[in-house]
Amino acid sequence: STVVTSISFDSNNRLFIAGITSTSTGLPVEDDGTAFYDGTLNGLSDGFIARFDSHFDKEWCTYFGGDDQERINDLTLDDNDNLFFIGASLSESIPSVNSVSSSFYEDEFQGSGSNINSVWLGDGMLGKLNSTGVRQYVSYYGGAADEEGLTIISGNSHIVTTSATFSDPIMMATPNLANAYVVSEHADGEDIVEDGYLLVLDQDMDDVWSTYLGGSGSGGLTGQDLAYSAVISNNRLFVVGASRSTNFPTVQQSGSYFDESNSMVDGFIM
């Protein structure tokens, strides 16, 4: 099976799609002679990326993964048509590279690979391809437990990602930002409940700012928090997600405001 998880256009109206596939014969792979290309399914499932011209003719399509399982959950393009993607990996052999000499780089799998609450586990996976599809950066990210990268967006010369994490500690940025909101410890202090994880990078994939996002619970799935999506508007970052926590870190600025949980699972916006 093959699932498309993300879609975007570049400045030349070329279409890009990405997702997850477990087919070894059905993916219409295409090598354009320049972009990164892998024409073979590497494990149980791989991520994939494909590009189409402005008339929707296929130009390039590749598997992307290692010896176990990968998925690409989201992609985005910046103003220079560089492509950035985010997802998750259970493999110890993704095609990692660090041509941009980023300090936020990990080429070894760190996750537990175990099964907790029947959700996807492993390490987060981040990547950057230039405007011709050549790999600039591919890295694991996370901690000793498990992560999944959910959303990636580009704006104001930065890359913003949202993830779910079980790990404590996790790869954290050291921000030089006055009054930045930073929580450097998992709210539950245990690897059986997820927290959201926000990470901001520059366009060379160096870390700028990161934080856990979530509250704590009393066991089971209580205390579980997920940051699902983000957008940048007027130099402000907005994040939405879901929370099972009873003490999610709310703050009031103006307008509508609810500081108490109203059901088993609440949405949040920040």
Side-chain angles (χ1 to χ4, degrees), residues 51-195:
R51 184 184 70 215
F52 302 81
D53 66 19
S54 58
H55 301 288
F56 302 108
D57 290 323
K58 178 167 55 74
E59 295 183 328
W60 163 64
C61 181
T62 182
Y63 291 99
F64 202 98
D67 57 1
D68 199 329
Q69 299 177 66
E70 275 72 42
R71 63 191 302 156
I72 296 176
N73 286 328
D74 199 16
L75 66 81
T76 189
L77 290 106
D78 67 11
D79 293 338
N80 296 314
D81 292 337
N82 295 304
L83 183 150
F84 303 84
F85 65 86
I86 193 168
S89 174
L90 283 168
S91 300
E92 297 185 358
S93 59
I94 64 170
S96 56
V97 67
N98 190 18
S99 298
V100 295
S101 299
S102 168
S103 59
F104 191 84
Y105 175 70
E106 178 59 64
D107 62 357
E108 295 185 1
F109 182 78
Q110 304 290 318
S112 72
S114 58
N115 186 12
I116 301 174
N117 297 330
S118 298
V119 300
W120 178 280
L121 298 173
D123 266 355
M125 180 176 67
L126 276 170
K128 175 184 179 180
L129 310 179
N130 68 13
S131 59
T132 61
V134 176
R135 280 179 306 153
Q136 303 293 294
Y137 171 92
V138 178
S139 176
Y140 298 103
Y141 72 95
D146 300 285
E147 282 70 42
E148 180 175 6
L150 301 175
T151 301
I152 189 165
I153 60 173
S154 173
N156 293 10
S157 299
H158 289 88
I159 305 301
V160 179
T161 75
T162 72
S163 304
T165 180
F166 290 92
S167 295
D168 187 6
I170 195 173
M171 295 167 68
M172 296 291 291
T174 304
N176 186 21
L177 302 171
N179 302 316
Y181 175 81
V182 176
V183 177
S184 59
E185 295 182 356
H186 196 300
D188 281 277
E190 54 183 338
D191 62 1
I192 62 171
V193 179
E194 293 166 288
D195 262 357

Side-chain angles (χ1 to χ4, degrees), residues 213 225-230 239-243 248 265-270:
L213 181 62
D225 304 283
L226 294 173
Y228 281 119
S229 189
V239 180
V240 294
S243 175
F248 190 85
V265 180
D266 283 329
F268 70 81
I269 182 171
M270 66 173 290

